[in-house]
Amino acid sequence: MKNLKKIRLGDVERAYLLALRVGVLAIATVSLLCAGYFVVDAAWRMFVSTNVAVEPTVIEPAEVSAVMRDFAEANDATEEQEGPQIPAFIRERHAGFMQQAFAPYYRVYAAAAEQYNKSEDETLTAEQLADRLGYSLEIYASGESPVAKAFVEEPEFQRQSLAALTAAMADPASVQLLSQYRDAERVERCTTRNVRRTVRQICGYYYTYDCSYTETVPTRRCEMVYPDGIVSPLAAFTQADQAFGELWIAEADRNDRAAAEAIAERHATRAQIGPKLILALQVIGGFLVIMFFFLLVSIERHMRALATETASAAKGEESSEALVESSKPRKTRRSRRAAPETSNET
């Protein structure tokens, strides 16, 4: 088990040392490349001349003529326009809105007016209805109405408003109100008001004086009117249009605030990139310092192991020499003992 741990620790140690060597070599290589790039960039900048000749100023006559033609056209257009000047692209955008988006919108009102208007009621034209609802060119160009801006510029507003107004005018409650308006008859309504008036008169015979006085006289006035509570198609359409615009603006504001809060949170999250990177660099720096000391300890340990192996090898050689020397005298004694025996035999 101890050998297994030693083997695993040795593998981890070798892997860390290899990664440290590779990292040091990579940093050194990048440093050399950056230094070379900076040297080349600095050398290139040394050869950039600071003497620049001023180009001569030349205005072609055609340029002045073109400016004058534009000025004349703008002046003619200003004289033709009535009221405040409105840019051409605003007029084109509003004209496209009236032809494409407001036309089906107007047809919803026209259908209700045709079905429920009284004989004395007048059906408004598309321009009159747009002006009545606040979608005229002047109101849109002023930029003061967020509903008009959304209606003219946002296709989703146009789609949803058309669907909402169509459903609202066809709703049973709206149909009931419009039917009541169509079937309503004028009734006599009389009102009594107290009116103060001055009665002028002269008093006296021989000596006259002004004895005028003021009195309150009840005055009764009767007229034929429609009963209260009935709603005309124009009023119903206007109410539905205003309701949709208010709901749209409120919902759009809520969505904008939610998006702004989400963006602020994400900016706050992204703002932590720098501190997190600095913290990561600090951790890496601490890791490199630890690895440096670890490298020193590893080198010292390897040197100690190498010294131990060298000492053990030297001791082994000394012991082997001692054995050799100790074996040599035994052989001489035997030879000495053998020598007299041989001499006696002779």
Side-chain angles (χ1 to χ4, degrees), residues 263-300:
I263 291 173
E265 292 178 358
R266 295 186 181 185
H267 279 299
T269 302
R270 291 178 63 87
Q272 296 296 320
I273 293 176
K276 296 297 182 182
L277 290 177
I278 293 175
L279 181 61
L281 291 176
Q282 292 175 349
V283 173
I284 293 174
F287 174 76
L288 292 178
V289 172
I290 294 173
M291 288 299 295
F292 175 74
F293 287 106
F294 179 76
L295 179 62
L296 292 180
V297 172
S298 179
I299 292 173
E300 189 272 338

PDB file of all heavy atoms in Angstrom, residues 263-300:
ATOM      1  N   ILE A 263     -30.974  43.949 -17.782  1.00  0.00           N
ATOM      2  CA  ILE A 263     -29.713  44.451 -18.357  1.00  0.00           C
ATOM      3  C   ILE A 263     -28.790  44.937 -17.255  1.00  0.00           C
ATOM      4  O   ILE A 263     -27.569  44.703 -17.295  1.00  0.00           O
ATOM      5  CB  ILE A 263     -30.016  45.576 -19.365  1.00  0.00           C
ATOM      6  CG1 ILE A 263     -30.712  44.999 -20.606  1.00  0.00           C
ATOM      7  CG2 ILE A 263     -28.738  46.294 -19.774  1.00  0.00           C
ATOM      8  CD1 ILE A 263     -31.194  46.053 -21.580  1.00  0.00           C
ATOM      9  N   ALA A 264     -29.357  45.636 -16.255  1.00  0.00           N
ATOM     10  CA  ALA A 264     -28.520  46.101 -15.148  1.00  0.00           C
ATOM     11  C   ALA A 264     -27.902  44.927 -14.392  1.00  0.00           C
ATOM     12  O   ALA A 264     -26.725  44.961 -14.013  1.00  0.00           O
ATOM     13  CB  ALA A 264     -29.354  46.965 -14.199  1.00  0.00           C
ATOM     14  N   GLU A 265     -28.707  43.870 -14.172  1.00  0.00           N
ATOM     15  CA  GLU A 265     -28.166  42.689 -13.495  1.00  0.00           C
ATOM     16  C   GLU A 265     -27.060  42.038 -14.315  1.00  0.00           C
ATOM     17  O   GLU A 265     -26.024  41.626 -13.773  1.00  0.00           O
ATOM     18  CB  GLU A 265     -29.287  41.686 -13.244  1.00  0.00           C
ATOM     19  CG  GLU A 265     -30.314  42.153 -12.223  1.00  0.00           C
ATOM     20  CD  GLU A 265     -31.439  41.157 -12.040  1.00  0.00           C
ATOM     21  OE1 GLU A 265     -31.412  40.117 -12.763  1.00  0.00           O
ATOM     22  OE2 GLU A 265     -32.334  41.397 -11.212  1.00  0.00           O
ATOM     23  N   ARG A 266     -27.260  41.980 -15.631  1.00  0.00           N
ATOM     24  CA  ARG A 266     -26.218  41.361 -16.462  1.00  0.00           C
ATOM     25  C   ARG A 266     -24.966  42.222 -16.522  1.00  0.00           C
ATOM     26  O   ARG A 266     -23.841  41.709 -16.550  1.00  0.00           O
ATOM     27  CB  ARG A 266     -26.767  41.125 -17.872  1.00  0.00           C
ATOM     28  CG  ARG A 266     -27.898  40.109 -17.892  1.00  0.00           C
ATOM     29  CD  ARG A 266     -28.343  39.764 -19.285  1.00  0.00           C
ATOM     30  NE  ARG A 266     -29.445  38.806 -19.264  1.00  0.00           N
ATOM     31  CZ  ARG A 266     -29.973  38.258 -20.355  1.00  0.00           C
ATOM     32  NH1 ARG A 266     -29.504  38.582 -21.545  1.00  0.00           N
ATOM     33  NH2 ARG A 266     -30.973  37.399 -20.252  1.00  0.00           N
ATOM     34  N   HIS A 267     -25.150  43.557 -16.539  1.00  0.00           N
ATOM     35  CA  HIS A 267     -23.972  44.429 -16.485  1.00  0.00           C
ATOM     36  C   HIS A 267     -23.235  44.246 -15.159  1.00  0.00           C
ATOM     37  O   HIS A 267     -21.996  44.257 -15.126  1.00  0.00           O
ATOM     38  CB  HIS A 267     -24.395  45.886 -16.666  1.00  0.00           C
ATOM     39  CG  HIS A 267     -24.604  46.272 -18.098  1.00  0.00           C
ATOM     40  ND1 HIS A 267     -23.598  46.224 -19.051  1.00  0.00           N
ATOM     41  CD2 HIS A 267     -25.702  46.708 -18.761  1.00  0.00           C
ATOM     42  CE1 HIS A 267     -24.062  46.618 -20.214  1.00  0.00           C
ATOM     43  NE2 HIS A 267     -25.340  46.913 -20.073  1.00  0.00           N
ATOM     44  N   ALA A 268     -24.017  44.101 -14.074  1.00  0.00           N
ATOM     45  CA  ALA A 268     -23.378  43.861 -12.785  1.00  0.00           C
ATOM     46  C   ALA A 268     -22.632  42.525 -12.780  1.00  0.00           C
ATOM     47  O   ALA A 268     -21.540  42.407 -12.208  1.00  0.00           O
ATOM     48  CB  ALA A 268     -24.428  43.882 -11.669  1.00  0.00           C
ATOM     49  N   THR A 269     -23.227  41.523 -13.439  1.00  0.00           N
ATOM     50  CA  THR A 269     -22.551  40.228 -13.546  1.00  0.00           C
ATOM     51  C   THR A 269     -21.272  40.345 -14.367  1.00  0.00           C
ATOM     52  O   THR A 269     -20.214  39.806 -13.999  1.00  0.00           O
ATOM     53  CB  THR A 269     -23.495  39.198 -14.182  1.00  0.00           C
ATOM     54  OG1 THR A 269     -24.676  39.097 -13.384  1.00  0.00           O
ATOM     55  CG2 THR A 269     -22.826  37.829 -14.252  1.00  0.00           C
ATOM     56  N   ARG A 270     -21.352  41.064 -15.498  1.00  0.00           N
ATOM     57  CA  ARG A 270     -20.167  41.230 -16.339  1.00  0.00           C
ATOM     58  C   ARG A 270     -19.113  42.105 -15.662  1.00  0.00           C
ATOM     59  O   ARG A 270     -17.921  41.972 -15.953  1.00  0.00           O
ATOM     60  CB  ARG A 270     -20.569  41.850 -17.681  1.00  0.00           C
ATOM     61  CG  ARG A 270     -21.391  40.928 -18.560  1.00  0.00           C
ATOM     62  CD  ARG A 270     -21.792  41.621 -19.846  1.00  0.00           C
ATOM     63  NE  ARG A 270     -20.629  41.966 -20.635  1.00  0.00           N
ATOM     64  CZ  ARG A 270     -20.039  41.175 -21.511  1.00  0.00           C
ATOM     65  NH1 ARG A 270     -20.520  39.963 -21.708  1.00  0.00           N
ATOM     66  NH2 ARG A 270     -18.982  41.561 -22.199  1.00  0.00           N
ATOM     67  N   ALA A 271     -19.561  42.994 -14.769  1.00  0.00           N
ATOM     68  CA  ALA A 271     -18.589  43.836 -14.074  1.00  0.00           C
ATOM     69  C   ALA A 271     -17.687  43.021 -13.155  1.00  0.00           C
ATOM     70  O   ALA A 271     -16.619  43.494 -12.758  1.00  0.00           O
ATOM     71  CB  ALA A 271     -19.320  44.910 -13.269  1.00  0.00           C
ATOM     72  N   GLN A 272     -18.108  41.807 -12.788  1.00  0.00           N
ATOM     73  CA  GLN A 272     -17.299  40.955 -11.940  1.00  0.00           C
ATOM     74  C   GLN A 272     -16.245  40.174 -12.718  1.00  0.00           C
ATOM     75  O   GLN A 272     -15.484  39.406 -12.108  1.00  0.00           O
ATOM     76  CB  GLN A 272     -18.206  39.970 -11.187  1.00  0.00           C
ATOM     77  CG  GLN A 272     -19.165  40.637 -10.221  1.00  0.00           C
ATOM     78  CD  GLN A 272     -18.437  41.341  -9.103  1.00  0.00           C
ATOM     79  OE1 GLN A 272     -17.443  40.835  -8.587  1.00  0.00           O
ATOM     80  NE2 GLN A 272     -18.922  42.515  -8.725  1.00  0.00           N
ATOM     81  N   ILE A 273     -16.192  40.371 -14.047  1.00  0.00           N
ATOM     82  CA  ILE A 273     -15.213  39.630 -14.848  1.00  0.00           C
ATOM     83  C   ILE A 273     -13.805  40.011 -14.425  1.00  0.00           C
ATOM     84  O   ILE A 273     -12.935  39.159 -14.203  1.00  0.00           O
ATOM     85  CB  ILE A 273     -15.438  39.908 -16.347  1.00  0.00           C
ATOM     86  CG1 ILE A 273     -16.773  39.305 -16.796  1.00  0.00           C
ATOM     87  CG2 ILE A 273     -14.302  39.331 -17.178  1.00  0.00           C
ATOM     88  CD1 ILE A 273     -17.125  39.600 -18.239  1.00  0.00           C
ATOM     89  N   GLY A 274     -13.556  41.342 -14.337  1.00  0.00           N
ATOM     90  CA  GLY A 274     -12.218  41.798 -13.962  1.00  0.00           C
ATOM     91  C   GLY A 274     -11.789  41.295 -12.591  1.00  0.00           C
ATOM     92  O   GLY A 274     -10.708  40.679 -12.456  1.00  0.00           O
ATOM     93  N   PRO A 275     -12.603  41.521 -11.538  1.00  0.00           N
ATOM     94  CA  PRO A 275     -12.198  41.000 -10.223  1.00  0.00           C
ATOM     95  C   PRO A 275     -12.018  39.482 -10.197  1.00  0.00           C
ATOM     96  O   PRO A 275     -11.102  38.986  -9.538  1.00  0.00           O
ATOM     97  CB  PRO A 275     -13.358  41.438  -9.314  1.00  0.00           C
ATOM     98  CG  PRO A 275     -13.914  42.654  -9.980  1.00  0.00           C
ATOM     99  CD  PRO A 275     -13.777  42.409 -11.448  1.00  0.00           C
ATOM    100  N   LYS A 276     -12.897  38.755 -10.912  1.00  0.00           N
ATOM    101  CA  LYS A 276     -12.749  37.299 -10.939  1.00  0.00           C
ATOM    102  C   LYS A 276     -11.460  36.889 -11.629  1.00  0.00           C
ATOM    103  O   LYS A 276     -10.759  35.966 -11.188  1.00  0.00           O
ATOM    104  CB  LYS A 276     -13.952  36.662 -11.641  1.00  0.00           C
ATOM    105  CG  LYS A 276     -15.285  36.871 -10.928  1.00  0.00           C
ATOM    106  CD  LYS A 276     -15.299  36.240  -9.567  1.00  0.00           C
ATOM    107  CE  LYS A 276     -16.656  36.436  -8.909  1.00  0.00           C
ATOM    108  NZ  LYS A 276     -16.703  35.874  -7.549  1.00  0.00           N
ATOM    109  N   LEU A 277     -11.114  37.568 -12.746  1.00  0.00           N
ATOM    110  CA  LEU A 277      -9.863  37.251 -13.436  1.00  0.00           C
ATOM    111  C   LEU A 277      -8.663  37.583 -12.566  1.00  0.00           C
ATOM    112  O   LEU A 277      -7.673  36.838 -12.538  1.00  0.00           O
ATOM    113  CB  LEU A 277      -9.802  38.008 -14.762  1.00  0.00           C
ATOM    114  CG  LEU A 277     -10.764  37.542 -15.862  1.00  0.00           C
ATOM    115  CD1 LEU A 277     -10.627  38.427 -17.087  1.00  0.00           C
ATOM    116  CD2 LEU A 277     -10.495  36.085 -16.231  1.00  0.00           C
ATOM    117  N   ILE A 278      -8.743  38.736 -11.874  1.00  0.00           N
ATOM    118  CA  ILE A 278      -7.636  39.100 -10.979  1.00  0.00           C
ATOM    119  C   ILE A 278      -7.482  38.056  -9.878  1.00  0.00           C
ATOM    120  O   ILE A 278      -6.366  37.647  -9.529  1.00  0.00           O
ATOM    121  CB  ILE A 278      -7.887  40.500 -10.395  1.00  0.00           C
ATOM    122  CG1 ILE A 278      -7.806  41.555 -11.500  1.00  0.00           C
ATOM    123  CG2 ILE A 278      -6.881  40.812  -9.296  1.00  0.00           C
ATOM    124  CD1 ILE A 278      -8.166  42.939 -11.048  1.00  0.00           C
ATOM    125  N   LEU A 279      -8.632  37.609  -9.325  1.00  0.00           N
ATOM    126  CA  LEU A 279      -8.576  36.568  -8.305  1.00  0.00           C
ATOM    127  C   LEU A 279      -7.988  35.280  -8.860  1.00  0.00           C
ATOM    128  O   LEU A 279      -7.183  34.610  -8.195  1.00  0.00           O
ATOM    129  CB  LEU A 279      -9.986  36.323  -7.757  1.00  0.00           C
ATOM    130  CG  LEU A 279     -10.112  35.263  -6.654  1.00  0.00           C
ATOM    131  CD1 LEU A 279      -9.295  35.666  -5.446  1.00  0.00           C
ATOM    132  CD2 LEU A 279     -11.574  35.071  -6.277  1.00  0.00           C
ATOM    133  N   ALA A 280      -8.389  34.934 -10.120  1.00  0.00           N
ATOM    134  CA  ALA A 280      -7.833  33.727 -10.739  1.00  0.00           C
ATOM    135  C   ALA A 280      -6.324  33.865 -10.937  1.00  0.00           C
ATOM    136  O   ALA A 280      -5.559  32.919 -10.695  1.00  0.00           O
ATOM    137  CB  ALA A 280      -8.523  33.459 -12.071  1.00  0.00           C
ATOM    138  N   LEU A 281      -5.884  35.063 -11.380  1.00  0.00           N
ATOM    139  CA  LEU A 281      -4.443  35.280 -11.554  1.00  0.00           C
ATOM    140  C   LEU A 281      -3.715  35.197 -10.219  1.00  0.00           C
ATOM    141  O   LEU A 281      -2.592  34.679 -10.147  1.00  0.00           O
ATOM    142  CB  LEU A 281      -4.213  36.640 -12.211  1.00  0.00           C
ATOM    143  CG  LEU A 281      -4.650  36.763 -13.675  1.00  0.00           C
ATOM    144  CD1 LEU A 281      -4.461  38.189 -14.158  1.00  0.00           C
ATOM    145  CD2 LEU A 281      -3.878  35.794 -14.565  1.00  0.00           C
ATOM    146  N   GLN A 282      -4.349  35.728  -9.162  1.00  0.00           N
ATOM    147  CA  GLN A 282      -3.721  35.628  -7.844  1.00  0.00           C
ATOM    148  C   GLN A 282      -3.595  34.175  -7.404  1.00  0.00           C
ATOM    149  O   GLN A 282      -2.565  33.769  -6.854  1.00  0.00           O
ATOM    150  CB  GLN A 282      -4.543  36.427  -6.832  1.00  0.00           C
ATOM    151  CG  GLN A 282      -4.494  37.934  -7.058  1.00  0.00           C
ATOM    152  CD  GLN A 282      -5.409  38.686  -6.122  1.00  0.00           C
ATOM    153  OE1 GLN A 282      -6.230  38.083  -5.427  1.00  0.00           O
ATOM    154  NE2 GLN A 282      -5.299  40.011  -6.095  1.00  0.00           N
ATOM    155  N   VAL A 283      -4.663  33.405  -7.661  1.00  0.00           N
ATOM    156  CA  VAL A 283      -4.606  31.985  -7.296  1.00  0.00           C
ATOM    157  C   VAL A 283      -3.531  31.273  -8.102  1.00  0.00           C
ATOM    158  O   VAL A 283      -2.755  30.458  -7.577  1.00  0.00           O
ATOM    159  CB  VAL A 283      -5.979  31.334  -7.507  1.00  0.00           C
ATOM    160  CG1 VAL A 283      -5.900  29.827  -7.309  1.00  0.00           C
ATOM    161  CG2 VAL A 283      -6.993  31.934  -6.553  1.00  0.00           C
ATOM    162  N   ILE A 284      -3.456  31.593  -9.419  1.00  0.00           N
ATOM    163  CA  ILE A 284      -2.421  30.975 -10.258  1.00  0.00           C
ATOM    164  C   ILE A 284      -1.036  31.387  -9.785  1.00  0.00           C
ATOM    165  O   ILE A 284      -0.094  30.585  -9.759  1.00  0.00           O
ATOM    166  CB  ILE A 284      -2.648  31.364 -11.724  1.00  0.00           C
ATOM    167  CG1 ILE A 284      -3.951  30.719 -12.244  1.00  0.00           C
ATOM    168  CG2 ILE A 284      -1.481  30.942 -12.596  1.00  0.00           C
ATOM    169  CD1 ILE A 284      -4.330  31.161 -13.631  1.00  0.00           C
ATOM    170  N   GLY A 285      -0.901  32.695  -9.400  1.00  0.00           N
ATOM    171  CA  GLY A 285       0.390  33.139  -8.884  1.00  0.00           C
ATOM    172  C   GLY A 285       0.772  32.398  -7.614  1.00  0.00           C
ATOM    173  O   GLY A 285       1.932  31.975  -7.450  1.00  0.00           O
ATOM    174  N   GLY A 286      -0.216  32.235  -6.701  1.00  0.00           N
ATOM    175  CA  GLY A 286       0.069  31.452  -5.504  1.00  0.00           C
ATOM    176  C   GLY A 286       0.425  30.015  -5.829  1.00  0.00           C
ATOM    177  O   GLY A 286       1.333  29.429  -5.214  1.00  0.00           O
ATOM    178  N   PHE A 287      -0.281  29.457  -6.830  1.00  0.00           N
ATOM    179  CA  PHE A 287       0.032  28.083  -7.251  1.00  0.00           C
ATOM    180  C   PHE A 287       1.456  27.985  -7.790  1.00  0.00           C
ATOM    181  O   PHE A 287       2.189  27.042  -7.486  1.00  0.00           O
ATOM    182  CB  PHE A 287      -0.975  27.645  -8.312  1.00  0.00           C
ATOM    183  CG  PHE A 287      -0.665  26.308  -8.928  1.00  0.00           C
ATOM    184  CD1 PHE A 287      -0.925  25.133  -8.238  1.00  0.00           C
ATOM    185  CD2 PHE A 287      -0.110  26.232 -10.185  1.00  0.00           C
ATOM    186  CE1 PHE A 287      -0.633  23.907  -8.800  1.00  0.00           C
ATOM    187  CE2 PHE A 287       0.187  25.010 -10.758  1.00  0.00           C
ATOM    188  CZ  PHE A 287      -0.074  23.841 -10.057  1.00  0.00           C
ATOM    189  N   LEU A 288       1.867  28.984  -8.599  1.00  0.00           N
ATOM    190  CA  LEU A 288       3.222  28.960  -9.156  1.00  0.00           C
ATOM    191  C   LEU A 288       4.270  29.107  -8.053  1.00  0.00           C
ATOM    192  O   LEU A 288       5.333  28.474  -8.098  1.00  0.00           O
ATOM    193  CB  LEU A 288       3.378  30.076 -10.185  1.00  0.00           C
ATOM    194  CG  LEU A 288       2.570  29.904 -11.475  1.00  0.00           C
ATOM    195  CD1 LEU A 288       2.766  31.099 -12.382  1.00  0.00           C
ATOM    196  CD2 LEU A 288       2.981  28.618 -12.205  1.00  0.00           C
ATOM    197  N   VAL A 289       3.976  29.961  -7.044  1.00  0.00           N
ATOM    198  CA  VAL A 289       4.918  30.093  -5.924  1.00  0.00           C
ATOM    199  C   VAL A 289       5.048  28.776  -5.182  1.00  0.00           C
ATOM    200  O   VAL A 289       6.161  28.328  -4.835  1.00  0.00           O
ATOM    201  CB  VAL A 289       4.439  31.224  -4.991  1.00  0.00           C
ATOM    202  CG1 VAL A 289       5.270  31.250  -3.717  1.00  0.00           C
ATOM    203  CG2 VAL A 289       4.534  32.564  -5.690  1.00  0.00           C
ATOM    204  N   ILE A 290       3.882  28.139  -4.936  1.00  0.00           N
ATOM    205  CA  ILE A 290       3.929  26.842  -4.247  1.00  0.00           C
ATOM    206  C   ILE A 290       4.700  25.830  -5.079  1.00  0.00           C
ATOM    207  O   ILE A 290       5.522  25.057  -4.560  1.00  0.00           O
ATOM    208  CB  ILE A 290       2.496  26.356  -3.959  1.00  0.00           C
ATOM    209  CG1 ILE A 290       1.812  27.295  -2.958  1.00  0.00           C
ATOM    210  CG2 ILE A 290       2.499  24.932  -3.425  1.00  0.00           C
ATOM    211  CD1 ILE A 290       0.350  26.995  -2.749  1.00  0.00           C
ATOM    212  N   MET A 291       4.437  25.841  -6.404  1.00  0.00           N
ATOM    213  CA  MET A 291       5.152  24.905  -7.272  1.00  0.00           C
ATOM    214  C   MET A 291       6.647  25.202  -7.310  1.00  0.00           C
ATOM    215  O   MET A 291       7.466  24.300  -7.449  1.00  0.00           O
ATOM    216  CB  MET A 291       4.564  24.974  -8.683  1.00  0.00           C
ATOM    217  CG  MET A 291       3.177  24.359  -8.805  1.00  0.00           C
ATOM    218  SD  MET A 291       3.175  22.599  -8.399  1.00  0.00           S
ATOM    219  CE  MET A 291       4.202  21.945  -9.704  1.00  0.00           C
ATOM    220  N   PHE A 292       7.031  26.487  -7.174  1.00  0.00           N
ATOM    221  CA  PHE A 292       8.449  26.834  -7.155  1.00  0.00           C
ATOM    222  C   PHE A 292       9.128  26.229  -5.933  1.00  0.00           C
ATOM    223  O   PHE A 292      10.188  25.590  -6.029  1.00  0.00           O
ATOM    224  CB  PHE A 292       8.601  28.351  -7.170  1.00  0.00           C
ATOM    225  CG  PHE A 292      10.015  28.824  -7.033  1.00  0.00           C
ATOM    226  CD1 PHE A 292      10.902  28.718  -8.093  1.00  0.00           C
ATOM    227  CD2 PHE A 292      10.472  29.354  -5.831  1.00  0.00           C
ATOM    228  CE1 PHE A 292      12.206  29.145  -7.966  1.00  0.00           C
ATOM    229  CE2 PHE A 292      11.774  29.775  -5.709  1.00  0.00           C
ATOM    230  CZ  PHE A 292      12.657  29.673  -6.774  1.00  0.00           C
ATOM    231  N   PHE A 293       8.480  26.431  -4.764  1.00  0.00           N
ATOM    232  CA  PHE A 293       9.053  25.835  -3.562  1.00  0.00           C
ATOM    233  C   PHE A 293       8.994  24.316  -3.630  1.00  0.00           C
ATOM    234  O   PHE A 293       9.911  23.624  -3.170  1.00  0.00           O
ATOM    235  CB  PHE A 293       8.316  26.348  -2.320  1.00  0.00           C
ATOM    236  CG  PHE A 293       8.630  27.764  -1.977  1.00  0.00           C
ATOM    237  CD1 PHE A 293       7.717  28.771  -2.214  1.00  0.00           C
ATOM    238  CD2 PHE A 293       9.861  28.105  -1.422  1.00  0.00           C
ATOM    239  CE1 PHE A 293       8.012  30.081  -1.897  1.00  0.00           C
ATOM    240  CE2 PHE A 293      10.147  29.414  -1.107  1.00  0.00           C
ATOM    241  CZ  PHE A 293       9.235  30.415  -1.344  1.00  0.00           C
ATOM    242  N   PHE A 294       7.915  23.806  -4.229  1.00  0.00           N
ATOM    243  CA  PHE A 294       7.821  22.362  -4.405  1.00  0.00           C
ATOM    244  C   PHE A 294       8.947  21.847  -5.303  1.00  0.00           C
ATOM    245  O   PHE A 294       9.521  20.781  -5.073  1.00  0.00           O
ATOM    246  CB  PHE A 294       6.462  22.016  -4.992  1.00  0.00           C
ATOM    247  CG  PHE A 294       6.258  20.547  -5.238  1.00  0.00           C
ATOM    248  CD1 PHE A 294       5.997  19.677  -4.184  1.00  0.00           C
ATOM    249  CD2 PHE A 294       6.337  20.028  -6.516  1.00  0.00           C
ATOM    250  CE1 PHE A 294       5.800  18.340  -4.414  1.00  0.00           C
ATOM    251  CE2 PHE A 294       6.158  18.683  -6.737  1.00  0.00           C
ATOM    252  CZ  PHE A 294       5.893  17.833  -5.691  1.00  0.00           C
ATOM    253  N   LEU A 295       9.274  22.641  -6.333  1.00  0.00           N
ATOM    254  CA  LEU A 295      10.373  22.263  -7.221  1.00  0.00           C
ATOM    255  C   LEU A 295      11.694  22.262  -6.468  1.00  0.00           C
ATOM    256  O   LEU A 295      12.522  21.352  -6.639  1.00  0.00           O
ATOM    257  CB  LEU A 295      10.427  23.233  -8.404  1.00  0.00           C
ATOM    258  CG  LEU A 295      11.542  23.007  -9.425  1.00  0.00           C
ATOM    259  CD1 LEU A 295      11.392  21.640 -10.084  1.00  0.00           C
ATOM    260  CD2 LEU A 295      11.527  24.110 -10.476  1.00  0.00           C
ATOM    261  N   LEU A 296      11.888  23.293  -5.612  1.00  0.00           N
ATOM    262  CA  LEU A 296      13.115  23.327  -4.822  1.00  0.00           C
ATOM    263  C   LEU A 296      13.207  22.114  -3.903  1.00  0.00           C
ATOM    264  O   LEU A 296      14.269  21.465  -3.794  1.00  0.00           O
ATOM    265  CB  LEU A 296      13.166  24.616  -4.000  1.00  0.00           C
ATOM    266  CG  LEU A 296      13.322  25.920  -4.789  1.00  0.00           C
ATOM    267  CD1 LEU A 296      13.347  27.107  -3.835  1.00  0.00           C
ATOM    268  CD2 LEU A 296      14.584  25.910  -5.650  1.00  0.00           C
ATOM    269  N   VAL A 297      12.080  21.807  -3.234  1.00  0.00           N
ATOM    270  CA  VAL A 297      12.079  20.642  -2.344  1.00  0.00           C
ATOM    271  C   VAL A 297      12.321  19.365  -3.134  1.00  0.00           C
ATOM    272  O   VAL A 297      13.062  18.474  -2.697  1.00  0.00           O
ATOM    273  CB  VAL A 297      10.732  20.573  -1.580  1.00  0.00           C
ATOM    274  CG1 VAL A 297      10.624  19.279  -0.793  1.00  0.00           C
ATOM    275  CG2 VAL A 297      10.598  21.767  -0.664  1.00  0.00           C
ATOM    276  N   SER A 298      11.718  19.270  -4.321  1.00  0.00           N
ATOM    277  CA  SER A 298      11.911  18.072  -5.135  1.00  0.00           C
ATOM    278  C   SER A 298      13.362  17.932  -5.587  1.00  0.00           C
ATOM    279  O   SER A 298      13.929  16.834  -5.555  1.00  0.00           O
ATOM    280  CB  SER A 298      10.976  18.132  -6.346  1.00  0.00           C
ATOM    281  OG  SER A 298      11.162  17.008  -7.166  1.00  0.00           O
ATOM    282  N   ILE A 299      13.943  19.056  -5.991  1.00  0.00           N
ATOM    283  CA  ILE A 299      15.366  19.008  -6.398  1.00  0.00           C
ATOM    284  C   ILE A 299      16.240  18.587  -5.218  1.00  0.00           C
ATOM    285  O   ILE A 299      17.144  17.749  -5.358  1.00  0.00           O
ATOM    286  CB  ILE A 299      15.787  20.375  -6.947  1.00  0.00           C
ATOM    287  CG1 ILE A 299      15.064  20.644  -8.268  1.00  0.00           C
ATOM    288  CG2 ILE A 299      17.288  20.440  -7.156  1.00  0.00           C
ATOM    289  CD1 ILE A 299      15.296  22.038  -8.809  1.00  0.00           C
ATOM    290  N   GLU A 300      15.938  19.176  -4.043  1.00  0.00           N
ATOM    291  CA  GLU A 300      16.739  18.821  -2.867  1.00  0.00           C
ATOM    292  C   GLU A 300      16.557  17.342  -2.520  1.00  0.00           C
ATOM    293  O   GLU A 300      17.521  16.654  -2.175  1.00  0.00           O
ATOM    294  CB  GLU A 300      16.286  19.712  -1.699  1.00  0.00           C
ATOM    295  CG  GLU A 300      17.174  19.615  -0.461  1.00  0.00           C
ATOM    296  CD  GLU A 300      16.728  18.496   0.471  1.00  0.00           C
ATOM    297  OE1 GLU A 300      15.553  18.112   0.386  1.00  0.00           O
ATOM    298  OE2 GLU A 300      17.574  17.986   1.248  1.00  0.00           O
TER     299      GLU A 300
END
